[in-house]
Amino acid sequence: MTDARGSTRRDGEAPVRHAPGAPCWVSLMVHGPDTARRFYEALFGWEFRSGPQQLGPYARALLDGREVAGIGLLPPDRQLPIAWTPYFASADADRAAEAVRSCGGTVGVGPLDASDAGRLAICSDPSGAVFGIWQAAVHLGTAVTGVPGAPAWNELTTFESERVAKFYASVFGYTVEPEISTDVDYTTLNLEGRPVAGVHGMGNTLLRDRGPHWTTYFTVADLDDTVDRVLHLGGQILRQARAGAHGRTATVADPEGARFALLQSPR
C-alpha cells in the first residue's frame, strides 16, 4: 500500500479533470443510505448533497465543500456487494466497457448516463472484483485527497496479482510494477510514472466467502481515535491497527458490513 495523489488537490484550488485510468471516485450502495450517511457524517465530518438519481436515491459526500465520495440505495434487482467501489476515469465509458469484456471481465450495469454528471459502468474483473468506470461531464469526481476524511488509496485483494494486474493494464493503460519478494505477492499499478492502485495476491488465504474485492483507504488524523469512533457508531474492527511503511492502518466495517481501511500517515 502506498499513497496516491491522482489529479485532486490538497490546497483548496479547483479540482482538475482526472487522467484516464486514475481512480476518480468511490461509491457505496447500501440498503439503508440514511443510516450510512449518519455513520460517515459522524466518523469523517462529511456533509451530503443529493444527486444524481439514475441508480435510485444517491448523495455525494462533501468535505469542506469539496466532493469526496457517494452513498446510494442498493437497487433490489442488482446483484452488487455492499462495499465501497472505486471508479476509474475514462474518456469514453462505452469503449472502456468493451475493453473490459474483451479482456475477460463483465459489465453488470451500463454504460448509462447519470443525468448531466457523466456516464458510468459497473464492472467485474476476471476474478470477480467489482469496480466502476466514470466518464466525467459536470461531475469530475473526488476533488481532494491527502486530508482527513478523504480517500487515500485503493487496493485490490485477489488470489494472485499478475494475471489480474494485466487485465487492468489492458483496460486502463497502466504499467505494472511487481514487488520483488519471495513471500509477498504485490503489484503496483502505475499511471504516467505514478502509483495509483495496488493488487495484493493472497492465494488460498483469501476468504472464499468474501472473494476478490477492492478496499478503499481513507486518511485520518488519529487512527486510534477513529477506530474507537467506528465502534461507538456501531461498526466493527476487522484488522487491528498496525504500522507499515506508509503509516498506521486498520481495516473496519460500517454497521451494514461495508469494509474500508483507515490510514494515518507518518508524522
Side-chain angles (χ1 to χ4, degrees):
M1 197 277 293
T2 186
D3 183 24
R5 299 297 181 221
S7 300
T8 51
R9 299 297 183 93
R10 305 180 67 188
D11 52 13
E13 296 180 18
V16 297
R17 186 173 296 272
H18 292 264
C24 64
W25 191 243
V26 288
S27 187
L28 174 64
M29 307 300 283
V30 294
H31 296 298
D34 291 339
T35 300
R37 287 195 288 268
R38 287 193 293 269
F39 172 85
Y40 289 100
E41 179 181 15
L43 186 66
F44 292 139
W46 291 351
E47 298 176 335
F48 290 91
R49 176 185 299 155
S50 295
Q53 308 294 328
Q54 262 55 30
L55 295 178
Y58 192 84
R60 288 165 286 177
L62 306 178
L63 188 64
D64 295 328
R66 292 172 289 180
E67 296 180 349
V68 292
I71 296 177
L73 176 66
L74 184 67
D77 60 336
R78 302 289 189 186
Q79 297 301 312
L80 296 172
I82 298 175
W84 280 102
T85 301
Y87 282 70
F88 300 95
S90 174
D92 188 329
D94 294 82
R95 182 173 295 179
E98 282 302 315
V100 167
R101 294 188 184 98
S102 66
C103 293
T106 59
V107 178
V109 178
L112 56 82
D113 290 327
S115 185
D116 61 350
R119 189 163 175 81
L120 67 87
I122 301 175
C123 310
S124 299
D125 67 28
S127 73
V130 176
F131 66 96
I133 295 167
W134 182 251
Q135 178 185 334
V138 173
H139 173 56
L140 299 182
T142 302
V144 62
T145 189
V147 299
W153 182 249
N154 291 287
E155 186 170 276
L156 172 62
T157 303
T158 189
F159 294 111
E160 60 84 25
S161 71
E162 182 178 5
R163 183 172 67 92
V164 177
K166 288 180 178 178
F167 164 83
Y168 287 98
S170 297
V171 173
F172 293 113
Y174 304 132
T175 57
V176 299
E177 183 180 347
E179 184 170 314
I180 306 302
S181 173
T182 58
D183 56 357
V184 176
D185 177 12
Y186 197 92
T187 298
T188 301
L189 303 178
N190 295 321
L191 189 66
E192 298 177 350
R194 297 180 295 106
V196 295
V199 182
H200 186 192
M202 296 189 65
N204 292 329
T205 64
L206 179 64
L207 296 177
R208 297 283 172 170
D209 60 345
R210 174 61 176 162
H213 59 277
W214 282 93
T215 299
T216 296
Y217 287 72
F218 293 92
T219 300
V220 297
D222 187 318
L223 182 65
D224 297 317
D225 177 69
T226 307
V227 167
D228 287 343
R229 276 188 283 144
V230 167
L231 291 173
H232 177 74
L233 294 167
Q236 308 172 58
I237 309 305
L238 303 179
R239 192 185 69 184
Q240 295 292 335
R242 63 181 183 179
H246 304 283
R248 298 179 67 229
T249 63
T251 304
V252 299
D254 68 21
E256 210 166 306
R259 301 175 179 225
F260 58 102
L262 307 169
L263 167 67
Q264 180 184 336
S265 298
R267 298 184 186 280

